[in-house]
Amino acid sequence: MRINGQHTRTIWVNGDGWSVEIIDQTKLPHVFETVTLRSMEDAARAISDMLVRGAPLIGATAAYGVALAMREDTSDAALEHAIQVLGATRPTAVNLHWALADMKARLLPLGASDRLDIAYERAAQICDEDVETCRLIGAHGLQLIRALAEKKNGDPVNILTHCNAGWLACIDWGTATSPVYQAQAEGIPVHVWVDETRPRNQGAFLTAFELGQEGVPHTIIVDNAGGHLMQHGLVDFCITGTDRVTADGDVANKIGTYLKALAAADNNVPFYVALPHSTIDWSLSDGVKEIPIEERNPAEVTAMQGRVPGGEVVTVDIAAPGSPAANYGFDVTPGRLVTGFVTERGLCDASRQGLLSLYPEQARASA
Amino acid sequence: MRINGQHTRTIWVNGDGWSVEIIDQTKLPHVFETVTLRSMEDAARAISDMLVRGAPLIGATAAYGVALAMREDTSDAALEHAIQVLGATRPTAVNLHWALADMKARLLPLGASDRLDIAYERAAQICDEDVETCRLIGAHGLQLIRALAEKKNGDPVNILTHCNAGWLACIDWGTATSPVYQAQAEGIPVHVWVDETRPRNQGAFLTAFELGQEGVPHTIIVDNAGGHLMQHGLVDFCITGTDRVTADGDVANKIGTYLKALAAADNNVPFYVALPHSTIDWSLSDGVKEIPIEERNPAEVTAMQGRVPGGEVVTVDIAAPGSPAANYGFDVTPGRLVTGFVTERGLCDASRQGLLSLYPEQARASA
């Protein structure tokens, strides 16, 4: 999608043919700045320090991390080491492990001299495949928005989203935002309620930024507001991304997603989750019991980054001095609260039966 | 309760016998500073700019505002004018209108020369009555915490609260916090999950501050976290205050309360609301339809006050440049999601029948 009118992806190989460029998303929306990754360790740090975030982009960055590792050493040991280091950067992200397993499966059988070229080739392919996946998610989700628009008589379809499952979390298009961008492109009037998404403010910082850059009408709200909006008919449709979906349709996503799903269910507002197939963890069933939830640095709760007048970015303390804080990164929304999934293969119920209807090969795989 | 070990109320008459002192709560927790009110207009500004907030303290400040007006002019016209100006400061606060109606009913029948003394006397009485009301709310709520503690085998009772319904919102004790303070005084181990409460951060700023000053163990969390905590058995009890309760038991409170009540219901966690009788609006039944919700300045969402290292308090922008925001102040939690009310007369169901069981005189009043 566009930044300052220029089409941009979130990760690309530079003109030198080997170093990898990413957007430093920790600085958005205050500053647009890119960072060059020159080693596997650079890639690992970019993931763990959240310069890149979002399941697909984390996977793509890990894949390029493996490619960067191969530049230095193409041995089996170096490959195993890279996969171990990169795999330890973010425990909840299943895409990370999917991308690393994919890279390993392709590179390990090759002779050491072939690994470097194939690693870069495959990383580029992972990016292109994600762009196509997100485009397809958008095309399927667009059907839902189109149907809602028909009932609105030209009024905008009000869409609520949490966190950032936009193109900044992917390579392009985004997951939850892809239907919105495609609706806008088709001339359907849309308006997005953007949950601020404390504590890291990915909504107010990233989703609002990318919607603004694409000219999509939107309004930032605090995470507390969605229930009130739904009670008053001001939300037609909720759509979020996800970090991990179980085979039974439970959804791990940014902390607070569960609260919005409860409000949607209480007010009969459709609540959809957009995801690529790589986000489904077929080995898990009960998400609340089985998905480990990352506890992050409490300073993310008690301090916040912002711009002072003049543009300088500073970090301020925003809690009573001496009061401790806790920082749970994700929560799990049970499938019973999710109206449906939007994947690259189409729409389905948030259940094992629903997922297997789109991915029947998984039934055969586990049979 | 205590600030720096010293027992303090939120509002008092100074040694000069007429000027009124309040804590500037917009500066907490960064700076503890008091402000002197010398006129009715000072009192009105203190309410509308939220130097004082919380239903009981707003009512008490309005009562002293009438007293300050009487210092300048004790005519009927001056009394009516004061009540009009003070009544327009915060639309949602029913205590404000209760206190003003009470002052008017007592002062208007008097001769003009008696009004000044009686106004100060009655304002002081309103404060003392609120302290006693809050003490009684605490005594009744304590029963609930005591019963939960019996099942915890010495582990702390985990209590979640939203916004600040603490003594800073009242004159002393608080409403939602009063049972907590009384449990702590009785030696029951308690721990409070403090919702940050965006956009004005009354949880992280005020509730955390007052719990810290009283030595009550607590942890600040983002507003998104409560659902996750409840799913994992980490919350034994929710208690909040309220700005207005309808005769059918619907609860208007700080935006986001409804989301916590939904999560509590979904996880069988008891959800109580603490209130003095003056918060009940017997003229309303369906809260979602009938209670007007204040829309506040969007800058409260897109900018935040905090301390930079060194202690200076600055305001920083925390949203994508150019993105608009909306700022709904309150939401309504339907009575069906509320386990019960804790009032100065005891516990009851969140329903008309429940409220009438404690306030039978209201049934006679409306019969």
Side-chain angles (χ1 to χ4, degrees), chain B residues 13-367:
Chain B
V13 175
N14 284 309
D16 61 16
W18 68 270
S19 70
V20 176
E21 204 73 7
I22 57 162
I23 300 166
D24 181 353
Q25 300 199 18
T26 64
K27 297 207 171 143
L28 289 176
H30 315 299
V31 179
F32 174 72
E33 203 172 279
T34 65
V35 168
T36 308
L37 310 180
R38 294 190 171 86
S39 67
M40 180 270 283
E41 289 77 10
D42 284 352
R45 259 194 308 275
I47 298 169
S48 59
D49 294 351
M50 296 178 79
L51 275 66
V52 294
R53 14 74 53 204
L57 177 55
I58 288 171
T61 307
Y64 274 117
V66 173
L68 288 165
M70 294 300 96
R71 277 194 84 237
E72 291 173 21
D73 180 351
T74 58
S75 70
D76 285 13
L79 179 58
E80 295 282 8
H81 177 66
I83 281 164
Q84 189 183 11
V85 171
L86 291 161
T89 48
R90 292 287 299 277
T92 310
V94 71
N95 267 58
L96 173 66
H97 304 289
W98 169 84
L100 290 172
D102 181 277
M103 292 297 282
K104 184 176 171 180
R106 285 167 200 258
L107 299 183
L108 203 55
L110 299 179
S113 62
D114 293 330
R115 285 178 181 165
L116 178 60
D117 286 352
I118 299 292
Y120 271 97
E121 204 175 282
R122 180 57 190 151
Q125 232 172 36
I126 285 178
C127 290
D128 289 342
E129 285 171 10
D130 187 70
V131 174
E132 177 61 7
T133 295
C134 286
R135 193 191 64 76
L136 288 167
I137 288 171
H140 296 301
L142 172 60
Q143 299 170 32
L144 299 168
I145 298 177
R146 207 185 274 142
L148 289 165
E150 280 166 18
K151 297 181 206 157
K152 298 279 296 187
N153 295 317
D155 285 340
V157 178
N158 286 301
I159 300 163
L160 184 142
T161 193
H162 191 71
C163 198
N164 176 258
W167 73 268
L168 290 169
C170 303
I171 312 303
D172 208 345
W173 288 111
T175 53
T177 54
S178 185
V180 178
Y181 291 134
Q182 296 193 31
Q184 162 111 341
E186 200 177 271
I188 297 171
V190 290
H191 166 261
V192 182
W193 296 108
V194 179
D195 270 2
E196 176 182 43
T197 318
R198 288 280 293 140
R200 292 180 66 92
N201 296 25
Q202 292 96 333
F205 284 1
L206 303 178
T207 304
F209 173 80
E210 62 169 83
L211 291 172
Q213 293 286 332
E214 284 294 322
V216 177
H218 64 285
T219 306
I220 298 171
I221 48 173
V222 294
D223 302 307
N224 285 322
H228 170 72
L229 295 175
M230 292 188 222
Q231 282 180 319
H232 290 271
L234 298 169
V235 180
D236 299 304
F237 183 60
C238 299
I239 188 162
T240 73
T242 169
D243 290 78
R244 191 186 290 208
V245 162
T246 72
D248 280 338
D250 294 342
V251 174
N253 192 41
K254 189 59 53 193
I255 190 85
T257 303
Y258 168 50
L259 296 172
K260 293 302 136 61
L262 284 166
D266 201 45
N267 294 284
N268 296 312
V269 174
F271 189 98
Y272 280 86
V273 176
L275 60 139
H277 70 278
S278 54
T279 308
I280 307 166
D281 186 340
W282 294 98
S283 72
L284 299 183
S285 53
D286 183 326
V288 174
K289 287 195 185 135
E290 296 172 31
I291 298 178
I293 298 299
E294 187 178 353
E295 272 196 68
R296 299 182 54 83
N297 189 339
E300 292 183 352
V301 175
T302 58
M304 190 183 277
Q305 216 180 48
R307 297 180 307 282
V308 291
E312 196 201 345
V313 176
V314 299
T315 299
V316 294
D317 283 328
I318 54 162
S323 285
N327 185 11
Y328 300 89
F330 302 86
D331 63 20
V332 173
T333 300
R336 69 182 149 86
L337 298 173
V338 178
T339 311
F341 291 136
V342 186
T343 87
E344 76 282 1
R345 289 197 190 166
L347 308 173
C348 74
D349 285 348
S351 65
R352 187 176 291 262
Q353 200 178 4
L355 286 169
L356 287 175
S357 74
L358 291 187
Y359 300 94
E361 68 273 25
Q362 291 295 330
R364 289 192 296 276
S366 63

Side-chain angles (χ1 to χ4, degrees), chain A residues 32-275:
Chain A
F32 174 71
E33 202 172 280
T34 65
V35 168
T36 308
L37 310 181
R38 294 190 171 85
S39 67
M40 180 271 283
E41 288 78 11
D42 283 353
R45 258 193 309 274
I47 298 169
S48 59
D49 293 352
M50 295 178 80
L51 276 66
V52 293
R53 13 74 54 204
L57 177 55
I58 288 171
T61 307
Y64 274 117
V66 173
L68 288 165
M70 293 300 96
R71 277 194 84 238
E72 291 173 21
D73 180 351
T74 57
S75 70
D76 286 13
L79 179 58
E80 296 281 8
H81 177 65
I83 281 164
Q84 190 183 12
V85 171
L86 291 161
T89 48
R90 291 288 299 278
T92 310
V94 71
N95 268 58
L96 173 67
H97 304 289
W98 169 84
L100 290 172
D102 181 277
M103 292 297 282
K104 183 176 171 180
R106 285 167 200 257
L107 299 182
L108 203 55
L110 300 178
S113 61
D114 293 330
R115 284 176 181 167
L116 178 59
D117 286 352
I118 299 293
Y120 271 97
E121 203 174 283
R122 180 57 190 153
Q125 232 173 35
I126 285 177
C127 290
D128 290 342
E129 285 171 10
D130 188 70
V131 174
E132 178 60 8
T133 295
C134 286
R135 193 191 64 77
L136 288 167
I137 288 171
H140 295 302
L142 172 59
Q143 299 170 32
L144 299 167
I145 297 177
R146 208 186 273 142
L148 289 165
E150 280 167 18
K151 297 181 208 157
K152 298 280 295 187
N153 295 318
D155 285 340
V157 178
N158 286 302
I159 299 162
L160 185 142
T161 192
H162 191 71
C163 199
N164 177 258
W167 74 268
L168 289 169
C170 303
I171 313 302
D172 208 345
W173 289 111
T175 53
T177 54
S178 186
V180 178
Y181 291 134
Q182 297 193 30
Q184 161 112 341
E186 200 177 272
I188 297 171
V190 290
H191 166 260
V192 182
W193 295 109
V194 179
D195 271 1
E196 175 182 45
T197 318
R198 288 278 294 138
R200 293 180 65 92
N201 295 26
Q202 292 96 333
F205 284 1
L206 303 178
T207 304
F209 173 80
E210 62 169 84
L211 292 172
Q213 293 286 333
E214 285 293 322
V216 176
H218 64 283
T219 306
I220 299 171
I221 48 173
V222 294
D223 302 306
N224 284 322
H228 170 72
L229 295 175
M230 293 188 222
Q231 281 180 319
H232 289 271
L234 298 169
V235 181
D236 299 304
F237 184 61
C238 299
I239 188 163
T240 73
T242 168
D243 290 78
R244 191 185 290 208
V245 163
T246 72
D248 281 336
D250 294 341
V251 173
N253 192 41
K254 189 59 52 192
I255 190 83
T257 303
Y258 167 51
L259 296 172
K260 294 301 137 62
L262 284 166
D266 201 45
N267 294 284
N268 295 311
V269 174
F271 189 98
Y272 281 85
V273 176
L275 61 138

